[in-house]
Amino acid sequence: MKSIKTLALACSLLSLSFGCSDKKFLEVDPTGALTDEQLNTPANIEKQVIAAYSQLGNDVYRTPYTSMWPYGNVRAGDAYKGGGGTADVDAFHFYETFSFNRVDIGNTDELWFLLYIGVSRANDALRRLDAVSDAAMPNKAIRQGEARFLRGHFYFLLKEVFKHVPYIDETVATSDYATISNVALTNDALWGKIADDFRFAAANLPATQPEIGRATKSAAQAYLAKTLLYQAYTQSDNNAVTGIDQAKLTEVVSLCDQVSAAGYILNADYATNFLTVGDNSRESVFAIQFSRNDGTPKGRTDRGNELNYPMNPDYGCCSFHQPSQNLVNAYKTDAQGLPLFTTFNSSDLRADTPADFQTNAVDPRLDHTVAIPTHPYKYDPSFVFQNSWVRVPGVYGYFMSMKENVLPSDPSFQKNPPFMSTSKNWTVIRYADVLLWKAEALIELNRASEALPIVNQIRQRAQNSTARLRNSAGQPTSNYRIGLYPATVWTQAYAREALRFERRLEFAMEGYRFFDLTRWGIAATYLNAYFSVEKNKRQYLATANFTAGRDEYMPIPLNQINFSKGLYKQNAGW
């Protein structure tokens, strides 16, 4: 019976093929299609610009480009991968150890893909903006500035991770994408393209926006300063720093001054930057806006950091992104309250020895950044961090990250089982960064004396940020001692070391450190020295090794090279 039915079906299909020789019956206009003319209206273009904004926070735990924690912190020695062991999201383990990294890791390919979605959405918005007149859309130039700001942001992330990427703007036809190589532009020229986007944005964006979260003139000026600072450190084909462009540094100083003139200030308490109540504060130059209870099933929460909560009943998962012992030790200070540049790592502030945090003086930013056993978690004296909250302490130790997290009682907290999330903003640029960019540029311009009060301004704020760092008895959680740098020691060489150390302390676990090491040209020396000591504390780092001329950048994903039919060229050393 089955064979008869099969034969009957075959005959029916055969007769159909003869009876429908006119293939025009297939040419039916889809009922749901929209033409460009229908989409290129001011109302629809506004929606496309918003779609470009939405890609800012569209990452997930396996490719977190909101905070960039696996790429900027784990690869820098500031954090261990954490989680359930080295096989848990093993791509991050490969990134951390470098020696196991490969060109065919799916997470790396997904990062490339997701960032290019952001580029594509911005380009689509720009193409549609080009098609509408100024008369029809009076705010056209502002929306063009926003779209170019967003495109600049996504290209900046691609550039700092992969170095050589194909540059495609709104003028390139889709049919021509396959002809554009990732090495069509030099390293410097690609930085220049990114800078051009921020220049346009700065020229066309208003000082303030009616809707919080949209890019402003100051945000564009700040991002342009960051781009020029990175571009100023010229690199060879093998990623070695070959010089510093003084003209670009001078422009960085000017841009930072313009941002300062717009009225940004440091929050009085460092903690404010990492609390929901600090969202869109006067220190926030540009931030990704998240939300919950917004009419969608799960809200629009920060999923890129959702693995990074402790393993206790209030949270449940997953103990990733754990501060390294080296980072914790870096917060020790001397009798004057200054960092121990060369000796900080000669002994450990041990998680299993609470007295260490009383007998040693520390920078207050330690307890704003690192969850430490017996210390209050996230400023709540009744919510004390316990050893049992860490998933596999035998591999990664007992410290946990805090800046990205909120208390379970916080109104922004949301469970996305089995993970945790929050609608708290993630700040892409805060004013402290602008100040330290200016200080760095001044130091490299041999104007170190002008940088001293800027660096001390950052330290003064840290000095005044202890009110929330109290235990249930009202006593300081740790022995805080932080001083200001005296002018008597402030040579250019000393100032450079102090600036680089200050950036580490101020922005620890915020996703920047590895990219700082790379642009300064010290990644190989720094990280191999780190591994030589840290592997004696964390066995899984025994074979970790940074290869100069290769590991400064991630490999171009093999999938992308294959898709390009070999047009894309692999990065140096891979």
Side-chain angles (χ1 to χ4, degrees), residues 66-375:
T66 291
S67 65
M68 299 290 283
W69 69 263
Y71 324 108
N73 301 335
V74 170
R75 289 198 298 161
D78 274 9
Y80 310 132
K81 175 186 77 69
T86 58
D88 192 2
V89 192
D90 58 3
F92 300 164
H93 173 67
F94 301 149
Y95 301 161
E96 181 177 3
T97 55
F98 294 97
S99 54
F100 295 113
N101 202 2
R102 305 190 314 269
V103 301
D104 62 345
I105 294 175
N107 305 64
T108 311
D109 183 51
E110 186 176 16
L111 175 65
W112 175 291
F113 172 73
L114 290 174
L115 292 176
Y116 266 107
I117 289 179
V119 171
S120 176
R121 290 187 181 187
N123 280 339
D124 189 79
L126 287 164
R127 277 191 291 269
R128 300 190 187 286
L129 283 159
D130 287 342
V132 70
S133 68
D134 294 342
M137 193 171 184
N139 64 347
K140 172 181 173 178
I142 293 174
R143 294 295 181 256
Q144 286 174 316
E146 291 176 49
R148 290 192 67 171
F149 176 92
L150 294 169
R151 183 172 69 188
H153 168 75
F154 289 114
Y155 268 127
F156 188 97
L157 298 183
L158 283 160
K159 181 79 176 71
E160 69 177 355
V161 173
F162 295 107
K163 187 174 185 176
H164 295 297
V165 298
Y167 186 83
I168 298 168
D169 65 18
E170 77 279 12
T171 67
V172 179
T174 304
S175 58
D176 291 335
Y177 287 0
T179 68
I180 298 177
S181 169
N182 67 319
V183 293
L185 297 175
T186 65
N187 181 59
D188 187 65
L190 183 53
W191 277 127
K193 288 287 190 181
I194 297 168
D196 287 345
D197 273 347
F198 292 126
R199 285 190 196 281
F200 181 93
N204 289 277
L205 290 176
T208 60
Q209 291 269 29
E211 295 171 298
I212 293 173
R214 289 188 184 271
T216 63
K217 176 183 284 291
S218 293
Q221 290 170 328
Y223 225 142
L224 176 57
K226 183 177 184 178
T227 302
L228 293 174
L229 184 62
Y230 274 64
Q231 186 182 14
Y233 291 83
T234 56
Q235 287 187 357
S236 70
D237 291 341
N238 292 321
N239 309 330
V241 173
T242 57
I244 306 180
D245 188 319
Q246 302 289 292
K248 287 185 174 61
L249 294 179
T250 299
E251 188 173 1
V252 169
V253 173
S254 175
L255 288 162
C256 291
D257 284 343
Q258 292 174 64
V259 176
S260 295
Y264 291 93
I265 61 173
L266 297 178
N267 289 318
D269 191 334
Y270 183 68
T272 305
N273 293 298
F274 316 109
L275 294 169
T276 306
V277 295
D279 281 356
N280 303 308
S281 70
R282 292 180 67 186
E283 186 168 339
S284 177
V285 180
F286 185 72
I288 299 171
Q289 311 289 315
F290 291 104
S291 63
R292 63 187 298 263
N293 298 326
D294 54 9
T296 61
K298 293 187 177 180
R300 177 176 167 74
T301 55
D302 182 0
R303 299 196 60 199
N305 287 313
E306 64 187 359
L307 295 181
N308 303 347
Y309 280 82
M311 298 285 290
N312 72 340
D314 298 276
Y315 297 121
C317 199
C318 289
S319 198
F320 277 73
H321 196 210
Q322 296 187 230
S324 68
Q325 183 66 63
N326 184 287
L327 175 67
V328 172
N329 293 343
Y331 284 98
K332 289 188 289 188
T333 59
D334 65 14
Q336 287 72 47
L338 298 178
L340 303 170
F341 293 150
T342 58
T343 61
F344 73 89
N345 207 36
S346 60
S347 62
D348 290 342
L349 292 170
R350 294 178 59 90
D352 59 356
T353 311
D356 278 359
F357 297 89
Q358 296 297 331
T359 56
N360 293 275
V362 297
D363 186 311
R365 287 171 290 191
L366 170 64
D367 276 303
H368 291 282
T369 305
V370 181
I372 301 168
T374 74
H375 292 207

Side-chain angles (χ1 to χ4, degrees), residues 358-423:
Q358 296 297 331
T359 56
N360 293 275
V362 297
D363 186 311
R365 287 171 290 191
L366 170 64
D367 276 303
H368 291 282
T369 305
V370 181
I372 301 168
T374 74
H375 292 207
Y377 184 82
K378 206 68 183 182
Y379 315 118
D380 184 349
S382 66
F383 196 56
V384 178
F385 191 76
Q386 306 293 326
N387 287 344
S388 60
W389 294 13
V390 180
R391 194 169 173 185
V392 284
V395 179
Y396 297 115
Y398 285 100
F399 300 119
M400 281 292 297
S401 179
M402 281 200 301
K403 284 181 175 178
E404 68 267 49
N405 298 339
V406 298
L407 290 168
S409 58
D410 192 272
S412 73
F413 179 69
Q414 179 169 301
K415 288 191 175 184
N416 291 328
F419 306 127
M420 312 301 117
S421 193
T422 175
S423 61

Side-chain angles (χ1 to χ4, degrees), residues 494-526:
Y494 185 95
R496 180 181 294 117
E497 187 170 21
L499 179 282
R500 293 178 177 182
F501 214 89
E502 197 65 26
R503 282 198 60 82
R504 186 184 192 189
L505 301 177
E506 177 73 13
F507 299 108
M509 310 300 279
E510 293 182 48
Y512 306 129
R513 179 66 173 170
F514 180 82
F515 307 113
D516 284 346
L517 298 175
T518 296
R519 69 187 169 84
W520 294 331
I522 64 172
T525 301
Y526 178 91

